[in-house]
Amino acid sequence: MEHSRVHNTNNNGRGGQPRLVLEVEDLYVSFGGYRGRTRAVNGVSFQIHQGEILGIVGESGCGKSVTALSLLKLVPMPPGRIDGGTISLHTDDTTVDVTALAQDSREIRAIRGRQISMIFQEPMRSLHPMFSIGDQIVEILLQHFAMNRRQALDKAVALLERVGLPEPARVVHEFPHQLSGGMRQRVMIAIALACEPQLLVADEPTTALDVTIQAQILELLQALQAEMGLAVMLITHDMGVVAEIADRVIVMYLGEIVETASVDQLFTNPQHPYTQGLLRSIPNWTDQPKTPLHSLAGAVPELLDLPAGCVFVERCPFADKVPGLRKPSLIETEPGHFVKCWLYTEEFVHARP
Amino acid sequence: MGRAVLRRSVQMVITLWLVSILGFVIIQLPPGDFLTLLESQLEEQRLSSAQIESALTGLRARYGLDQPVYVQYLRWMSSLLRGDLGYSMALRADVNELLSERLVLTLVISFAAMVFSLALALPIGVYSAMKQYSWADYLFTVLGFLGLALPNMLLALILIFLAVTVFNASTIGGLFSPEYITADWSPAKVLDLAKHLWLPAFIVGFSSTAGTIRVVRAQMLDTLGEPFIQTARMKGLSENRVITRHALRVALNPVVSGLGLSLPGLISGETITALVLGLPTIGPLLLNALFAEDMYLAGSILVILSGALVVGNFLADLTLAWLDPRIRLVEP
Ligand SMILES: Nc1ncnc2c1ncn2[C@@H]1O[C@H](COP(=O)(O)OP(=O)(O)O)[C@@H](O)[C@H]1O
Ligand code: SF4
Ligand SMILES: [Mg+2]
């Protein structure tokens, strides 16, 4: 995909800056509950450009899915609530702030599936169990395009072929329970890409699948992305997946972005103690003995009682060397590489490992 | 699909056969059989013992009462299969005649009650699920539990009382206006029936409504949490379409299978209502037959009702299979 980029001389470290598709600024999302509000997303900002795969990593419960659902205004409200920020979607002629649209409004529904599509973690449960595969693809086509059923069904067969399903003319009449998990995820991809959206959000699309199937699905996503000039936001808790296909990475922890960089930067020079911990958990990533993800001391704390300062302070091996009670802000340490940690300020440079 | 239907049909026939044996056993159960009862009645009428004896022998011969039990069963079964339900000794009439019109009316009331119950429970259940924990949801939940906790009989009595006092239901009692009771069936008579039908249908249906609301609400909540609902929204469909086309379709499955099972409740509700309102349906007849130890009448009614239950379940299963490809397309 790299070759298709337009290179220019800005300072983002990877050269090209193709068209901006989506811009999230200072997003806050919380959920009401009996024990208080869960602050799931706290001040998240990022951009996605055409033709780019943006990886979002972090352990479970860090707010990745909530961030993703916010882009389509699909966070259940109530109990969910957008407390602040904007999500600007740029189309050819207009810019829309998704956060300002009502959940069932015509405007947001024209964006869902048409400008931004999403696939989910559990292909076994993401397709309607009682409609045929064909009907489920036809439905999204008829929702957004002026065509008749016959044309839509033909297009569905073509889409199934494109996502690599054998015998698409037969599969189109089958039902989800007749397909394997990997095939169902391919069908989901066909549905999501049926209306040629600008952005595909893939929320842990391979987590529920076998390793071999996982690789096939990632390969397919990569191929389709290059072919369609698609922007992809790939959510995963697997650093290996990110290393394989992402261009840029955002590392999230407790609803905040703690580090963001290009894939090369992140893997050659991981800076945030949390990122370093995640990387150590990849088998064979370094020469060090394999250590499982749990080697990150402690578990993700509850979002109900967030630490006042750095979100990672409770599990950070350097916490005693820096003022954990003050909140660090994102600092650019090299072009395009941002980290939210006191260690990278002039003041505490001596404490770095 | 074909094989599944065949298997269910065989199951149904076997169940019906067991039901017939059970019905027959019930017929044989009462301590004093009907002939003993009749004998004492005839004695009271001061008939000579010879006359009594000849009457009794005639009856014994007709029903094979002097034969071994299995012969009696086979006779009864074979006449049942030929559509002859036997003879009511207490009412001195063919059971067929006694039952035919009442059976139709019972089915009509039960069906109307079911339709009424669903018409009420579906929208309320769906609304409660969509507005979970709203005040309306709490209200329906409380009413629902009240409905579940109250015995149907009490509920029927309260509703009848309300219907008479508040709505001044002049049509209360009976299913026809006097001029139509003996008239032949005609469009006017059907219309008259409909006018009388709403009250019993309402009363009988109301008692099962509470349970159905709970089922619909719980099923809707489960379904709305499913990822495929997220997928439907992701496609850009309107919430209306997501609910009616995607969620309801799945949530209704257990409601459909529940319909087959709701029949006994409908019948018992119908019996109580019919007794109070004086309706010419099967329920009161069954009750009287049981009191009078009128074995053929009681047995026939029980077999017919149980048969209706079994067939109802079979139909519910067929409907399910027709609705749901997961059931339809799985070959055992
Ligand atoms: N529908 C919801 N109701 C209440 N809390 C929720 C809901 N969805 C997510 N959350 C909370 O938001 C936080 C972030 O969740 P999520 O974005 O799903 O994490 P991730 O995808 O990174 O694993 C979690 O603490 C979760 O409990
Ligand atoms: S700011 Fe301090 S506590 Fe937070 S990650 Fe950096 S070193 Fe650790
Ligand atoms: Mg998630």
Side-chain angles (χ1 to χ4, degrees):
Chain A
M1 315 141 272
E2 295 295 309
H3 53 262
S4 65
R5 296 243 173 104
V6 185
H7 286 259
N8 59 22
T9 52
N10 64 14
N11 62 353
N12 99 337
R14 296 207 69 169
Q17 268 280 20
R19 206 170 63 75
L20 183 63
V21 171
L22 187 92
E23 194 167 12
V24 176
E25 272 176 298
D26 216 19
L27 182 68
Y28 286 81
V29 185
S30 66
F31 293 92
Y34 291 114
R35 296 192 298 137
R37 289 204 83 77
T38 302
R39 289 159 55 210
V41 176
N42 296 303
V44 162
S45 305
F46 60 91
Q47 301 181 334
I48 304 179
H49 297 88
Q50 189 181 14
E52 139 179 274
I53 299 188
L54 172 66
I56 306 226
V57 283
E59 287 160 287
S60 116
C62 285
K64 307 183 295 294
S65 296
V66 173
T67 305
L69 290 171
S70 301
L71 307 187
L72 287 162
K73 194 98 187 200
L74 278 178
V75 174
M77 301 183 190
R81 190 174 77 193
I82 293 183
D83 295 317
T86 56
I87 298 171
S88 310
L89 173 71
H90 302 284
T91 52
D92 290 334
D93 37 10
T94 53
T95 296
V96 191
D97 179 8
V98 170
T99 59
L101 302 178
Q103 269 200 302
D104 196 29
S105 64
R106 202 167 273 285
E107 292 86 349
I108 190 67
R109 293 201 285 109
I111 291 174
R112 291 180 190 151
R114 180 65 186 88
Q115 302 291 342
I116 310 178
S117 276
M118 186 160 174
I119 61 176
F120 305 97
Q121 183 167 353
E122 293 176 276
M124 307 307 276
R125 295 168 63 203
S126 300
L127 293 170
H128 197 288
M130 289 157 80
F131 297 135
S132 72
I133 301 301
D135 280 346
Q136 307 198 37
I137 303 177
V138 163
E139 187 174 39
I140 190 170
L141 286 167
L142 295 186
Q143 177 70 30
H144 295 290
F145 293 144
M147 51 168 73
N148 63 35
R149 238 195 89 82
R150 186 67 249 167
Q151 295 165 321
L153 205 60
D154 290 344
K155 177 121 197 245
V157 175
L159 280 160
L160 289 177
E161 177 143 40
R162 197 158 173 199
V163 296
L165 279 166
E167 295 188 70
R170 188 173 54 82
V171 171
V172 85
H173 297 296
E174 292 197 319
F175 289 85
H177 71 269
Q178 294 168 300
L179 306 180
S180 70
M183 283 160 84
R184 288 191 215 186
Q185 196 61 295
R186 284 176 193 266
V187 172
M188 268 308 290
I189 293 172
I191 292 174
L193 299 185
C195 299
E196 295 168 21
Q198 300 192 66
L199 171 64
L200 174 69
V201 181
D203 190 353
E204 313 224 16
T206 59
T207 305
L209 304 173
D210 300 347
V211 185
T212 44
I213 310 293
Q214 242 181 54
Q216 290 171 12
I217 296 288
L218 289 177
E219 223 165 85
L220 173 68
L221 279 180
Q222 216 167 1
L224 289 169
Q225 182 267 347
E227 201 177 312
M228 301 172 68
L230 197 65
V232 176
M233 175 169 155
L234 179 78
I235 296 175
T236 173
H237 58 253
D238 186 343
M239 274 290 190
V241 169
V242 171
E244 211 164 299
I245 76 166
D247 299 315
R248 234 159 23 91
V249 193
I250 286 174
V251 182
M252 277 187 81
Y253 188 75
L254 282 190
E256 291 186 20
I257 294 177
V258 294
E259 183 164 5
T260 169
S262 73
V263 164
D264 301 341
Q265 289 169 334
L266 194 88
F267 283 84
T268 50
N269 181 19
Q271 297 184 328
H272 199 279
Y274 180 58
T275 313
Q276 293 168 355
L278 284 178
L279 283 177
R280 266 197 300 277
S281 66
I282 305 180
N284 304 327
W285 182 255
T286 58
D287 294 334
Q288 299 168 8
K290 293 179 202 172
T291 44
L293 188 62
H294 333 287
S295 72
L296 272 168
V300 184
E302 291 220 36
L303 283 165
L304 280 170
D305 39 11
L306 287 176
C310 171
V311 278
F312 194 55
V313 70
E314 288 172 27
R315 297 166 78 191
C316 181
F318 311 105
D320 50 342
K321 304 199 176 106
V322 291
L325 280 180
R326 273 197 288 143
K327 214 163 190 50
S329 44
L330 271 180
I331 311 159
E332 189 165 20
T333 54
E334 59 183 314
H337 191 162
F338 296 82
V339 62
K340 193 185 262 186
C341 173
W342 285 115
L343 292 177
Y344 298 90
T345 58
E346 287 301 323
E347 206 180 335
F348 298 101
V349 70
H350 59 273
R352 261 184 249 178
Chain B
M1 174 85 174
R3 269 172 61 189
V5 170
L6 191 71
R7 207 185 33 176
R8 277 298 276 116
S9 309
V10 171
Q11 275 175 11
M12 181 173 70
V13 169
I14 293 176
T15 318
L16 284 175
W17 177 62
L18 290 176
V19 161
S20 79
I21 291 183
L22 204 68
F24 185 71
V25 168
I26 289 173
I27 289 174
Q28 301 289 329
L29 266 187
D33 71 36
F34 180 75
L35 287 188
T36 332
L37 209 70
L38 186 67
E39 196 176 351
S40 57
Q41 276 174 9
L42 291 178
E43 270 163 11
E44 273 169 29
Q45 292 170 18
R46 298 173 190 288
L47 291 171
S48 73
S49 55
Q51 279 172 307
I52 294 175
E53 198 44 48
S54 77
L56 291 184
T57 352
L59 283 173
R60 279 204 194 93
R62 179 167 173 189
Y63 292 104
L65 296 184
D66 42 5
Q67 309 266 331
V69 171
Y70 71 90
V71 177
Q72 289 185 37
Y73 170 73
L74 286 179
R75 273 186 187 218
W76 178 70
M77 255 312 273
S78 68
S79 54
L80 203 64
L81 285 179
R82 275 181 277 114
D84 173 11
L85 298 177
Y87 183 77
S88 162
M89 302 199 187
L91 300 176
R92 313 258 165 102
D94 277 336
V95 173
N96 287 34
E97 245 159 65
L98 289 172
L99 283 188
S100 57
E101 191 151 321
R102 284 173 177 257
L103 191 62
V104 171
L105 289 178
T106 303
L107 289 181
V108 168
I109 290 183
S110 301
F111 186 73
M114 200 160 89
V115 169
F116 167 80
S117 170
L118 278 182
L120 202 62
L122 276 186
I124 293 181
V126 170
Y127 182 86
S128 283
M130 290 176 62
K131 306 273 172 189
Q132 194 189 7
Y133 305 135
S134 66
W135 66 266
D137 180 32
Y138 282 122
L139 180 74
F140 288 129
T141 303
V142 170
L143 286 181
F145 279 120
L146 222 65
L148 284 180
L150 279 179
N152 282 356
M153 189 183 69
L154 190 58
L155 199 63
L157 288 177
I158 294 175
L159 286 173
I160 291 165
F161 174 77
L162 284 180
V164 175
T165 55
V166 179
F167 298 107
N168 193 18
S170 57
T171 53
I172 199 154
L175 279 175
F176 302 101
S177 308
E179 63 268 31
Y180 287 109
I181 290 179
T182 51
D184 284 337
W185 283 100
S186 65
K189 185 169 179 176
V190 172
L191 203 71
D192 185 56
L193 173 65
K195 261 191 246 162
H196 287 74
L197 196 63
W198 71 268
L199 185 63
F202 173 75
I203 294 171
V204 176
F206 200 79
S207 47
S208 66
T209 304
T212 312
I213 290 178
R214 299 313 294 168
V215 175
V216 172
R217 178 181 181 273
Q219 287 302 322
M220 272 308 276
L221 280 178
D222 272 5
T223 310
L224 286 175
E226 288 282 342
F228 63 78
I229 293 299
Q230 201 80 285
T231 302
R233 294 199 176 112
M234 181 279 286
K235 289 176 171 179
L237 307 181
S238 69
E239 194 59 19
N240 228 335
R241 192 175 161 92
V242 171
I243 299 289
T244 52
R245 192 172 140 87
H246 288 249
L248 260 183
R249 182 85 199 258
V250 172
L252 281 189
N253 265 11
V255 179
V256 171
S257 48
L259 286 185
L261 293 173
S262 69
L263 215 60
L266 287 177
I267 301 281
S268 66
E270 184 268 336
T271 303
I272 292 153
T273 315
L275 279 175
V276 177
L277 293 181
L279 306 180
T281 62
I282 280 196
L285 196 64
L286 172 62
L287 210 62
N288 286 332
L290 288 174
F291 280 137
E293 292 175 16
D294 191 351
M295 50 204 247
Y296 282 102
L297 187 52
S300 303
I301 294 178
L302 287 177
V303 168
I304 286 175
L305 291 187
S306 320
L309 174 61
V310 174
V311 173
N313 269 330
F314 178 70
L315 291 180
D317 282 359
L318 280 192
T319 314
L320 266 190
W322 173 65
L323 285 175
D324 191 342
R326 288 169 298 181
I327 303 173
R328 188 186 339 136
L329 299 175
V330 170
E331 285 299 325

